[in-house]
Amino acid sequence: MRRALRTALLLGLAFLATGCTGEAAKWKRGGWPEPVTDRGVDALNIWEGFLLASLIIGGIVLFMIVYASVAYRRGADNEIPRQVRYNLPIEVLYTFLPIVVVAVLFYFTAVTENNVNDVNDKSALQVQVVGFQWSWQFNYVDHGVTVTGRPGEPPVLVLPTNEQIHFHLTSPDVIHSFWVVPFLFKRDVVPGHPNEFEVTVTKAGTFAGRCTEFCGVHHDRMLFTVKALPQDQYDAWLTKAQQQAKDGTNAEITQYTGDVSGDPAYDPPSNGSNL
Ligand SMILES: [Cu+2]
């Protein structure tokens, strides 16, 4: 028994000692991808905290069940174990403890939600996202550039790193949901109810984007890609995109004409099927 315990302990230590890279780090994150935004770190922290809390509480409950059923099992067929009821201190304890646990979890949830939902940066880059059946449009409203995807031709959302980005989400048809996988965040794109959120991308790279609300027969084609670039490379892309918007050399990029607070001035391309 003691040897088994020691082996388990050594294995656990060896697992922790492998550090926070690769597979081990993924286990430590409870299976989540590595966050690439400031808000993603908040989301990951609360996920890890809740996972740890549930493991500890689950472990304690399981231990008490197994302990009670072994330690207080019936000794002989004709014997009834000692019957105990109305133990006031224990009943107070298991009324009080869950309230404390819920209050602590509620507190961390509220703090994280406030951080993640904060949209007060006036200097943020304004990007309007239009989710439509069945692709995406990205409007760089202050820079006159519109990027439009088509079903089967996923658009690329180019973003600068280390700059706050304010997303405005609108839909002309049904409910979609904007999800960039390693942002660890998704938000619904609702017709008639513009949604918004802010985020700072902290890592350069190419990330998968999805519609994560079943929105019709071609929902699965509502893919997009996020390309996060360092500021100088983003500026170079923007200059080129503005030129392409003017001279029409890129089918995906046009000049932005709409207004971010109004309905998107966009007519979805007809592909012969509509729900
Ligand atoms: Cu959709």
Side-chain angles (χ1 to χ4, degrees), residues 1-22:
M1 180 68 185
R2 193 173 270 182
R3 185 174 293 171
L5 258 177
R6 204 162 58 189
T7 311
L9 196 70
L10 278 175
L11 277 175
L13 278 176
F15 174 71
L16 287 176
T18 53
C20 291
T21 51

mmCIF file with all atom_site columns, all heavy atoms in Angstrom, residues 1-22:
data_model
loop_
_atom_site.group_PDB
_atom_site.id
_atom_site.type_symbol
_atom_site.label_atom_id
_atom_site.label_alt_id
_atom_site.label_comp_id
_atom_site.label_asym_id
_atom_site.label_entity_id
_atom_site.label_seq_id
_atom_site.pdbx_PDB_ins_code
_atom_site.Cartn_x
_atom_site.Cartn_y
_atom_site.Cartn_z
_atom_site.occupancy
_atom_site.B_iso_or_equiv
_atom_site.pdbx_formal_charge
_atom_site.auth_seq_id
_atom_site.auth_comp_id
_atom_site.auth_asym_id
_atom_site.auth_atom_id
_atom_site.pdbx_PDB_model_num
ATOM 1   N N   . MET A 1 1  ? 0.847  -1.212 0.000   1.00 0.00 ? 1  MET A N   1
ATOM 2   C CA  . MET A 1 1  ? 0.000  0.000  0.000   1.00 0.00 ? 1  MET A CA  1
ATOM 3   C C   . MET A 1 1  ? 0.873  1.250  0.000   1.00 0.00 ? 1  MET A C   1
ATOM 4   O O   . MET A 1 1  ? 0.695  2.162  -0.802  1.00 0.00 ? 1  MET A O   1
ATOM 5   C CB  . MET A 1 1  ? -0.904 -0.035 1.253   1.00 0.00 ? 1  MET A CB  1
ATOM 6   C CG  . MET A 1 1  ? -1.823 1.176  1.369   1.00 0.00 ? 1  MET A CG  1
ATOM 7   S SD  . MET A 1 1  ? -3.090 1.164  0.071   1.00 0.00 ? 1  MET A SD  1
ATOM 8   C CE  . MET A 1 1  ? -3.857 2.728  0.392   1.00 0.00 ? 1  MET A CE  1
ATOM 9   N N   . ARG A 1 2  ? 1.893  1.206  0.918   1.00 0.00 ? 2  ARG A N   1
ATOM 10  C CA  . ARG A 1 2  ? 2.752  2.379  1.031   1.00 0.00 ? 2  ARG A CA  1
ATOM 11  C C   . ARG A 1 2  ? 3.594  2.563  -0.229  1.00 0.00 ? 2  ARG A C   1
ATOM 12  O O   . ARG A 1 2  ? 3.797  3.671  -0.701  1.00 0.00 ? 2  ARG A O   1
ATOM 13  C CB  . ARG A 1 2  ? 3.650  2.215  2.267   1.00 0.00 ? 2  ARG A CB  1
ATOM 14  C CG  . ARG A 1 2  ? 4.340  3.505  2.656   1.00 0.00 ? 2  ARG A CG  1
ATOM 15  C CD  . ARG A 1 2  ? 5.079  3.362  3.946   1.00 0.00 ? 2  ARG A CD  1
ATOM 16  N NE  . ARG A 1 2  ? 4.251  3.697  5.094   1.00 0.00 ? 2  ARG A NE  1
ATOM 17  C CZ  . ARG A 1 2  ? 4.683  3.677  6.332   1.00 0.00 ? 2  ARG A CZ  1
ATOM 18  N NH1 . ARG A 1 2  ? 5.913  3.292  6.591   1.00 0.00 ? 2  ARG A NH1 1
ATOM 19  N NH2 . ARG A 1 2  ? 3.899  4.008  7.326   1.00 0.00 ? 2  ARG A NH2 1
ATOM 20  N N   . ARG A 1 3  ? 4.035  1.407  -0.787  1.00 0.00 ? 3  ARG A N   1
ATOM 21  C CA  . ARG A 1 3  ? 4.848  1.465  -1.990  1.00 0.00 ? 3  ARG A CA  1
ATOM 22  C C   . ARG A 1 3  ? 4.027  2.028  -3.167  1.00 0.00 ? 3  ARG A C   1
ATOM 23  O O   . ARG A 1 3  ? 4.512  2.833  -3.957  1.00 0.00 ? 3  ARG A O   1
ATOM 24  C CB  . ARG A 1 3  ? 5.383  0.070  -2.329  1.00 0.00 ? 3  ARG A CB  1
ATOM 25  C CG  . ARG A 1 3  ? 6.338  0.086  -3.525  1.00 0.00 ? 3  ARG A CG  1
ATOM 26  C CD  . ARG A 1 3  ? 6.954  -1.256 -3.762  1.00 0.00 ? 3  ARG A CD  1
ATOM 27  N NE  . ARG A 1 3  ? 7.860  -1.656 -2.688  1.00 0.00 ? 3  ARG A NE  1
ATOM 28  C CZ  . ARG A 1 3  ? 8.386  -2.873 -2.591  1.00 0.00 ? 3  ARG A CZ  1
ATOM 29  N NH1 . ARG A 1 3  ? 8.075  -3.802 -3.454  1.00 0.00 ? 3  ARG A NH1 1
ATOM 30  N NH2 . ARG A 1 3  ? 9.215  -3.157 -1.606  1.00 0.00 ? 3  ARG A NH2 1
ATOM 31  N N   . ALA A 1 4  ? 2.760  1.600  -3.229  1.00 0.00 ? 4  ALA A N   1
ATOM 32  C CA  . ALA A 1 4  ? 1.882  2.084  -4.308  1.00 0.00 ? 4  ALA A CA  1
ATOM 33  C C   . ALA A 1 4  ? 1.695  3.593  -4.201  1.00 0.00 ? 4  ALA A C   1
ATOM 34  O O   . ALA A 1 4  ? 1.748  4.324  -5.195  1.00 0.00 ? 4  ALA A O   1
ATOM 35  C CB  . ALA A 1 4  ? 0.524  1.391  -4.226  1.00 0.00 ? 4  ALA A CB  1
ATOM 36  N N   . LEU A 1 5  ? 1.532  4.052  -2.954  1.00 0.00 ? 5  LEU A N   1
ATOM 37  C CA  . LEU A 1 5  ? 1.359  5.493  -2.726  1.00 0.00 ? 5  LEU A CA  1
ATOM 38  C C   . LEU A 1 5  ? 2.599  6.257  -3.197  1.00 0.00 ? 5  LEU A C   1
ATOM 39  O O   . LEU A 1 5  ? 2.502  7.304  -3.839  1.00 0.00 ? 5  LEU A O   1
ATOM 40  C CB  . LEU A 1 5  ? 1.131  5.752  -1.236  1.00 0.00 ? 5  LEU A CB  1
ATOM 41  C CG  . LEU A 1 5  ? -0.308 6.016  -0.803  1.00 0.00 ? 5  LEU A CG  1
ATOM 42  C CD1 . LEU A 1 5  ? -0.374 6.182  0.699   1.00 0.00 ? 5  LEU A CD1 1
ATOM 43  C CD2 . LEU A 1 5  ? -0.866 7.260  -1.504  1.00 0.00 ? 5  LEU A CD2 1
ATOM 44  N N   . ARG A 1 6  ? 3.782  5.688  -2.819  1.00 0.00 ? 6  ARG A N   1
ATOM 45  C CA  . ARG A 1 6  ? 5.025  6.379  -3.154  1.00 0.00 ? 6  ARG A CA  1
ATOM 46  C C   . ARG A 1 6  ? 5.223  6.425  -4.670  1.00 0.00 ? 6  ARG A C   1
ATOM 47  O O   . ARG A 1 6  ? 5.632  7.437  -5.226  1.00 0.00 ? 6  ARG A O   1
ATOM 48  C CB  . ARG A 1 6  ? 6.211  5.687  -2.483  1.00 0.00 ? 6  ARG A CB  1
ATOM 49  C CG  . ARG A 1 6  ? 7.379  6.640  -2.294  1.00 0.00 ? 6  ARG A CG  1
ATOM 50  C CD  . ARG A 1 6  ? 8.356  6.142  -1.280  1.00 0.00 ? 6  ARG A CD  1
ATOM 51  N NE  . ARG A 1 6  ? 8.878  4.837  -1.658  1.00 0.00 ? 6  ARG A NE  1
ATOM 52  C CZ  . ARG A 1 6  ? 9.630  4.090  -0.855  1.00 0.00 ? 6  ARG A CZ  1
ATOM 53  N NH1 . ARG A 1 6  ? 9.916  4.511  0.347   1.00 0.00 ? 6  ARG A NH1 1
ATOM 54  N NH2 . ARG A 1 6  ? 10.092 2.922  -1.253  1.00 0.00 ? 6  ARG A NH2 1
ATOM 55  N N   . THR A 1 7  ? 4.882  5.331  -5.347  1.00 0.00 ? 7  THR A N   1
ATOM 56  C CA  . THR A 1 7  ? 4.996  5.298  -6.810  1.00 0.00 ? 7  THR A CA  1
ATOM 57  C C   . THR A 1 7  ? 4.089  6.359  -7.436  1.00 0.00 ? 7  THR A C   1
ATOM 58  O O   . THR A 1 7  ? 4.499  7.098  -8.333  1.00 0.00 ? 7  THR A O   1
ATOM 59  C CB  . THR A 1 7  ? 4.611  3.898  -7.348  1.00 0.00 ? 7  THR A CB  1
ATOM 60  O OG1 . THR A 1 7  ? 5.309  2.926  -6.585  1.00 0.00 ? 7  THR A OG1 1
ATOM 61  C CG2 . THR A 1 7  ? 4.984  3.751  -8.805  1.00 0.00 ? 7  THR A CG2 1
ATOM 62  N N   . ALA A 1 8  ? 2.861  6.429  -6.915  1.00 0.00 ? 8  ALA A N   1
ATOM 63  C CA  . ALA A 1 8  ? 1.905  7.413  -7.444  1.00 0.00 ? 8  ALA A CA  1
ATOM 64  C C   . ALA A 1 8  ? 2.425  8.831  -7.246  1.00 0.00 ? 8  ALA A C   1
ATOM 65  O O   . ALA A 1 8  ? 2.345  9.685  -8.134  1.00 0.00 ? 8  ALA A O   1
ATOM 66  C CB  . ALA A 1 8  ? 0.549  7.251  -6.771  1.00 0.00 ? 8  ALA A CB  1
ATOM 67  N N   . LEU A 1 9  ? 2.999  9.080  -6.068  1.00 0.00 ? 9  LEU A N   1
ATOM 68  C CA  . LEU A 1 9  ? 3.534  10.408 -5.745  1.00 0.00 ? 9  LEU A CA  1
ATOM 69  C C   . LEU A 1 9  ? 4.682  10.763 -6.688  1.00 0.00 ? 9  LEU A C   1
ATOM 70  O O   . LEU A 1 9  ? 4.756  11.867 -7.235  1.00 0.00 ? 9  LEU A O   1
ATOM 71  C CB  . LEU A 1 9  ? 4.005  10.426 -4.286  1.00 0.00 ? 9  LEU A CB  1
ATOM 72  C CG  . LEU A 1 9  ? 4.222  11.804 -3.695  1.00 0.00 ? 9  LEU A CG  1
ATOM 73  C CD1 . LEU A 1 9  ? 2.877  12.509 -3.515  1.00 0.00 ? 9  LEU A CD1 1
ATOM 74  C CD2 . LEU A 1 9  ? 4.931  11.719 -2.346  1.00 0.00 ? 9  LEU A CD2 1
ATOM 75  N N   . LEU A 1 10 ? 5.592  9.780  -6.887  1.00 0.00 ? 10 LEU A N   1
ATOM 76  C CA  . LEU A 1 10 ? 6.738  10.009 -7.772  1.00 0.00 ? 10 LEU A CA  1
ATOM 77  C C   . LEU A 1 10 ? 6.273  10.282 -9.204  1.00 0.00 ? 10 LEU A C   1
ATOM 78  O O   . LEU A 1 10 ? 6.784  11.184 -9.869  1.00 0.00 ? 10 LEU A O   1
ATOM 79  C CB  . LEU A 1 10 ? 7.675  8.787  -7.754  1.00 0.00 ? 10 LEU A CB  1
ATOM 80  C CG  . LEU A 1 10 ? 8.648  8.744  -6.567  1.00 0.00 ? 10 LEU A CG  1
ATOM 81  C CD1 . LEU A 1 10 ? 9.434  7.446  -6.570  1.00 0.00 ? 10 LEU A CD1 1
ATOM 82  C CD2 . LEU A 1 10 ? 9.615  9.939  -6.628  1.00 0.00 ? 10 LEU A CD2 1
ATOM 83  N N   . LEU A 1 11 ? 5.291  9.502  -9.645  1.00 0.00 ? 11 LEU A N   1
ATOM 84  C CA  . LEU A 1 11 ? 4.755  9.710  -11.003 1.00 0.00 ? 11 LEU A CA  1
ATOM 85  C C   . LEU A 1 11 ? 4.163  11.108 -11.140 1.00 0.00 ? 11 LEU A C   1
ATOM 86  O O   . LEU A 1 11 ? 4.374  11.797 -12.136 1.00 0.00 ? 11 LEU A O   1
ATOM 87  C CB  . LEU A 1 11 ? 3.698  8.650  -11.329 1.00 0.00 ? 11 LEU A CB  1
ATOM 88  C CG  . LEU A 1 11 ? 4.230  7.305  -11.818 1.00 0.00 ? 11 LEU A CG  1
ATOM 89  C CD1 . LEU A 1 11 ? 3.093  6.313  -11.985 1.00 0.00 ? 11 LEU A CD1 1
ATOM 90  C CD2 . LEU A 1 11 ? 4.977  7.473  -13.148 1.00 0.00 ? 11 LEU A CD2 1
ATOM 91  N N   . GLY A 1 12 ? 3.439  11.526 -10.095 1.00 0.00 ? 12 GLY A N   1
ATOM 92  C CA  . GLY A 1 12 ? 2.829  12.858 -10.093 1.00 0.00 ? 12 GLY A CA  1
ATOM 93  C C   . GLY A 1 12 ? 3.885  13.948 -10.166 1.00 0.00 ? 12 GLY A C   1
ATOM 94  O O   . GLY A 1 12 ? 3.774  14.889 -10.947 1.00 0.00 ? 12 GLY A O   1
ATOM 95  N N   . LEU A 1 13 ? 4.952  13.775 -9.371  1.00 0.00 ? 13 LEU A N   1
ATOM 96  C CA  . LEU A 1 13 ? 6.039  14.759 -9.372  1.00 0.00 ? 13 LEU A CA  1
ATOM 97  C C   . LEU A 1 13 ? 6.721  14.806 -10.724 1.00 0.00 ? 13 LEU A C   1
ATOM 98  O O   . LEU A 1 13 ? 7.005  15.876 -11.259 1.00 0.00 ? 13 LEU A O   1
ATOM 99  C CB  . LEU A 1 13 ? 7.064  14.397 -8.283  1.00 0.00 ? 13 LEU A CB  1
ATOM 100 C CG  . LEU A 1 13 ? 6.711  14.859 -6.874  1.00 0.00 ? 13 LEU A CG  1
ATOM 101 C CD1 . LEU A 1 13 ? 7.752  14.349 -5.885  1.00 0.00 ? 13 LEU A CD1 1
ATOM 102 C CD2 . LEU A 1 13 ? 6.638  16.384 -6.798  1.00 0.00 ? 13 LEU A CD2 1
ATOM 103 N N   . ALA A 1 14 ? 6.955  13.620 -11.307 1.00 0.00 ? 14 ALA A N   1
ATOM 104 C CA  . ALA A 1 14 ? 7.596  13.556 -12.624 1.00 0.00 ? 14 ALA A CA  1
ATOM 105 C C   . ALA A 1 14 ? 6.739  14.277 -13.658 1.00 0.00 ? 14 ALA A C   1
ATOM 106 O O   . ALA A 1 14 ? 7.245  15.002 -14.510 1.00 0.00 ? 14 ALA A O   1
ATOM 107 C CB  . ALA A 1 14 ? 7.802  12.094 -13.027 1.00 0.00 ? 14 ALA A CB  1
ATOM 108 N N   . PHE A 1 15 ? 5.422  14.103 -13.540 1.00 0.00 ? 15 PHE A N   1
ATOM 109 C CA  . PHE A 1 15 ? 4.489  14.756 -14.468 1.00 0.00 ? 15 PHE A CA  1
ATOM 110 C C   . PHE A 1 15 ? 4.588  16.272 -14.353 1.00 0.00 ? 15 PHE A C   1
ATOM 111 O O   . PHE A 1 15 ? 4.690  16.995 -15.340 1.00 0.00 ? 15 PHE A O   1
ATOM 112 C CB  . PHE A 1 15 ? 3.070  14.281 -14.168 1.00 0.00 ? 15 PHE A CB  1
ATOM 113 C CG  . PHE A 1 15 ? 2.020  14.986 -14.971 1.00 0.00 ? 15 PHE A CG  1
ATOM 114 C CD1 . PHE A 1 15 ? 1.886  14.754 -16.329 1.00 0.00 ? 15 PHE A CD1 1
ATOM 115 C CD2 . PHE A 1 15 ? 1.160  15.908 -14.360 1.00 0.00 ? 15 PHE A CD2 1
ATOM 116 C CE1 . PHE A 1 15 ? 0.919  15.399 -17.068 1.00 0.00 ? 15 PHE A CE1 1
ATOM 117 C CE2 . PHE A 1 15 ? 0.197  16.552 -15.100 1.00 0.00 ? 15 PHE A CE2 1
ATOM 118 C CZ  . PHE A 1 15 ? 0.075  16.308 -16.454 1.00 0.00 ? 15 PHE A CZ  1
ATOM 119 N N   . LEU A 1 16 ? 4.626  16.762 -13.080 1.00 0.00 ? 16 LEU A N   1
ATOM 120 C CA  . LEU A 1 16 ? 4.709  18.210 -12.865 1.00 0.00 ? 16 LEU A CA  1
ATOM 121 C C   . LEU A 1 16 ? 6.062  18.743 -13.330 1.00 0.00 ? 16 LEU A C   1
ATOM 122 O O   . LEU A 1 16 ? 6.171  19.841 -13.853 1.00 0.00 ? 16 LEU A O   1
ATOM 123 C CB  . LEU A 1 16 ? 4.500  18.537 -11.381 1.00 0.00 ? 16 LEU A CB  1
ATOM 124 C CG  . LEU A 1 16 ? 3.071  18.382 -10.875 1.00 0.00 ? 16 LEU A CG  1
ATOM 125 C CD1 . LEU A 1 16 ? 3.022  18.639 -9.381  1.00 0.00 ? 16 LEU A CD1 1
ATOM 126 C CD2 . LEU A 1 16 ? 2.129  19.336 -11.597 1.00 0.00 ? 16 LEU A CD2 1
ATOM 127 N N   . ALA A 1 17 ? 7.129  17.915 -13.123 1.00 0.00 ? 17 ALA A N   1
ATOM 128 C CA  . ALA A 1 17 ? 8.480  18.368 -13.436 1.00 0.00 ? 17 ALA A CA  1
ATOM 129 C C   . ALA A 1 17 ? 8.700  18.512 -14.936 1.00 0.00 ? 17 ALA A C   1
ATOM 130 O O   . ALA A 1 17 ? 9.637  19.172 -15.362 1.00 0.00 ? 17 ALA A O   1
ATOM 131 C CB  . ALA A 1 17 ? 9.503  17.395 -12.847 1.00 0.00 ? 17 ALA A CB  1
ATOM 132 N N   . THR A 1 18 ? 7.837  17.870 -15.763 1.00 0.00 ? 18 THR A N   1
ATOM 133 C CA  . THR A 1 18 ? 8.024  18.000 -17.207 1.00 0.00 ? 18 THR A CA  1
ATOM 134 C C   . THR A 1 18 ? 7.733  19.425 -17.667 1.00 0.00 ? 18 THR A C   1
ATOM 135 O O   . THR A 1 18 ? 7.966  19.773 -18.805 1.00 0.00 ? 18 THR A O   1
ATOM 136 C CB  . THR A 1 18 ? 7.111  17.025 -17.993 1.00 0.00 ? 18 THR A CB  1
ATOM 137 O OG1 . THR A 1 18 ? 5.773  17.217 -17.538 1.00 0.00 ? 18 THR A OG1 1
ATOM 138 C CG2 . THR A 1 18 ? 7.530  15.592 -17.794 1.00 0.00 ? 18 THR A CG2 1
ATOM 139 N N   . GLY A 1 19 ? 7.245  20.254 -16.769 1.00 0.00 ? 19 GLY A N   1
ATOM 140 C CA  . GLY A 1 19 ? 7.091  21.680 -17.071 1.00 0.00 ? 19 GLY A CA  1
ATOM 141 C C   . GLY A 1 19 ? 5.825  21.983 -17.835 1.00 0.00 ? 19 GLY A C   1
ATOM 142 O O   . GLY A 1 19 ? 4.971  21.130 -18.008 1.00 0.00 ? 19 GLY A O   1
ATOM 143 N N   . CYS A 1 20 ? 5.724  23.232 -18.279 1.00 0.00 ? 20 CYS A N   1
ATOM 144 C CA  . CYS A 1 20 ? 4.487  23.686 -18.886 1.00 0.00 ? 20 CYS A CA  1
ATOM 145 C C   . CYS A 1 20 ? 4.601  23.803 -20.392 1.00 0.00 ? 20 CYS A C   1
ATOM 146 O O   . CYS A 1 20 ? 4.261  24.805 -21.001 1.00 0.00 ? 20 CYS A O   1
ATOM 147 C CB  . CYS A 1 20 ? 4.059  25.010 -18.282 1.00 0.00 ? 20 CYS A CB  1
ATOM 148 S SG  . CYS A 1 20 ? 3.543  24.811 -16.592 1.00 0.00 ? 20 CYS A SG  1
ATOM 149 N N   . THR A 1 21 ? 5.161  22.796 -21.035 1.00 0.00 ? 21 THR A N   1
ATOM 150 C CA  . THR A 1 21 ? 5.242  22.837 -22.484 1.00 0.00 ? 21 THR A CA  1
ATOM 151 C C   . THR A 1 21 ? 4.466  21.662 -23.059 1.00 0.00 ? 21 THR A C   1
ATOM 152 O O   . THR A 1 21 ? 4.309  20.638 -22.418 1.00 0.00 ? 21 THR A O   1
ATOM 153 C CB  . THR A 1 21 ? 6.711  22.745 -22.964 1.00 0.00 ? 21 THR A CB  1
ATOM 154 O OG1 . THR A 1 21 ? 7.307  21.623 -22.312 1.00 0.00 ? 21 THR A OG1 1
ATOM 155 C CG2 . THR A 1 21 ? 7.484  24.001 -22.622 1.00 0.00 ? 21 THR A CG2 1
ATOM 156 N N   . GLY A 1 22 ? 4.010  21.830 -24.276 1.00 0.00 ? 22 GLY A N   1
ATOM 157 C CA  . GLY A 1 22 ? 3.379  20.749 -25.026 1.00 0.00 ? 22 GLY A CA  1
ATOM 158 C C   . GLY A 1 22 ? 2.210  20.113 -24.310 1.00 0.00 ? 22 GLY A C   1
ATOM 159 O O   . GLY A 1 22 ? 1.344  20.796 -23.795 1.00 0.00 ? 22 GLY A O   1
#
